[in-house]
Amino acid sequence: MAGLEPLYAWARAAVSRPQDALICGVHWELVRHGYRCLGAGDQPGPDEKKSELLPAGWEANKEVYTLRYKSADDARELLLKAIMVEDSMILNVMDRSSQKVADVTLAVADYINPEHLDDFHKLYKNTEELRTRIASGIIAPLGAPAEKAKKEPAAEKKDPELHYDPLRVPPRQPAGTRAPSWPSPSSPFAVGGADLDPFGGRSGGMIVDPLRSGIPQPGIDPSSGIPGRLPPGAVPPGARFDPFGPLGAGRSGPDPDHLPPPGYDDMFM
């Protein structure tokens, strides 16, 4: 219970009974949770100031200790009454603003060694249990004082490379721009490779595009139109295009070998 030792050293002259020492421990726990003592008694006195120390006359009544506290943010004011019943101390605490009441009963002998009032290091025992009892029996039911809002750290500049998302859909190309060049497969085994690439960065899918099959072809761009067949813009840039006729312009008619021989339908020939 850091901080309790200097407090007890300051109040040692007024400590004459074990319950006095226990009040010092209870008082310091309230201070740890954001409360400051205003004074002793039910009514406020002149020129009261919030303090971490116990007020004058706090130990005057050994049967009923009465202390008033206010939270550091001035949101709550507590009235503490510690009533001695035989060897136990009943802590009754009321929040004057909300009228909420909380109480805890402590056996003095469980937390104080009465034969060591002059030796702080041997005086208190089971301090963790005492802290837990006060936190769960008084602080939690009445509510801890609100903490000051913490300043949020300035937003760090984000590096786009650190936040790259490979699944993000890239922006579409503006109308009228050329489609990116697709590299031809480097080998016959590259066919179908694009179907294994979820990001579409490769060529060579199972659907063969005659214009990108890897076979040397005349420099034809369907998006610019095909003379005598398609006007410019008929095929969107980058779209797959299946030619509906021989590629290239100025090709001759059908090869003579493709025509049937004369008299092919003469059964006697």
Side-chain angles (χ1 to χ4, degrees):
M1 300 175 72
L4 177 58
E5 183 175 0
L7 172 69
Y8 185 79
W10 174 86
R12 175 63 189 93
V15 175
S16 60
R17 296 186 182 182
Q19 57 262 37
D20 294 337
L22 183 56
I23 283 293
C24 289
V26 173
H27 165 82
W28 186 247
E29 282 305 302
L30 292 177
V31 170
R32 285 187 61 254
H33 284 89
Y35 290 97
R36 301 294 181 265
C37 191
L38 293 175
D42 297 275
Q43 302 301 324
D47 301 327
E48 285 187 338
K49 295 181 180 180
K50 293 186 292 185
S51 175
E52 294 184 359
L53 300 176
L54 286 164
W58 64 272
E59 82 296 352
N61 189 338
K62 303 296 184 181
E63 301 300 323
V64 180
Y65 298 82
T66 304
L67 299 171
R68 288 176 293 105
Y69 294 85
K70 180 172 283 190
S71 60
D73 58 1
D74 296 331
R76 292 183 174 89
E77 183 174 345
L78 304 183
L79 175 62
L80 166 67
K81 290 201 173 187
I83 306 169
M84 289 300 302
V85 179
E86 296 182 352
D87 296 331
S88 297
M89 177 182 289
I90 301 175
L91 300 178
N92 184 278
V93 185
M94 181 182 69
D95 185 341
R96 287 188 164 181
S97 58
S98 64
Q99 299 298 309
K100 290 183 179 179
V101 177
D103 59 83
V104 175
T105 300
L106 304 175
V108 178
D110 289 345
Y111 308 104
I112 302 297
N113 289 314
E115 65 275 11
H116 295 295
L117 294 180
D118 291 326
D119 189 348
F120 173 82
H121 299 285
K122 297 180 181 179
L123 175 62
Y124 291 94
K125 57 183 178 180
N126 302 324
T127 54
E128 289 299 324
E129 178 185 338
L130 177 61
R131 294 175 60 178
T132 302
R133 294 287 305 278
I134 295 175
S136 61
I138 296 177
I139 302 300
L142 300 180
E147 296 181 357
K148 294 182 180 179
K150 298 180 179 180
K151 296 183 179 179
E152 297 182 358
E156 299 180 357
K157 295 182 180 180
K158 296 182 179 180
D159 187 350
E161 295 183 358
L162 297 178
H163 300 277
Y164 171 72
D165 185 1
L167 300 181
R168 182 177 61 86
V169 178
R172 300 185 62 180
Q173 295 183 354
T177 59
R178 298 288 183 180
S181 59
W182 291 7
S184 299
S186 58
S187 69
F189 300 102
V191 175
D195 296 326
L196 304 177
D197 185 0
F199 306 121
R202 299 177 54 187
S203 62
M206 294 300 293
I207 300 179
V208 179
D209 188 342
L211 297 180
R212 303 180 179 93
S213 61
I215 303 174
Q217 298 288 350
I220 298 176
D221 185 358
S223 62
S224 61
I226 299 179
R229 298 183 184 180
L230 289 176
V235 178
R240 182 179 180 275
F241 174 68
D242 292 328
F244 46 80
L247 297 177
R251 291 194 175 222
S252 59
D255 190 289
D257 292 339
H258 295 169
L259 297 177
Y264 74 96
D265 55 349
D266 188 350
M267 60 179 299
F268 297 103
M269 186 174 175

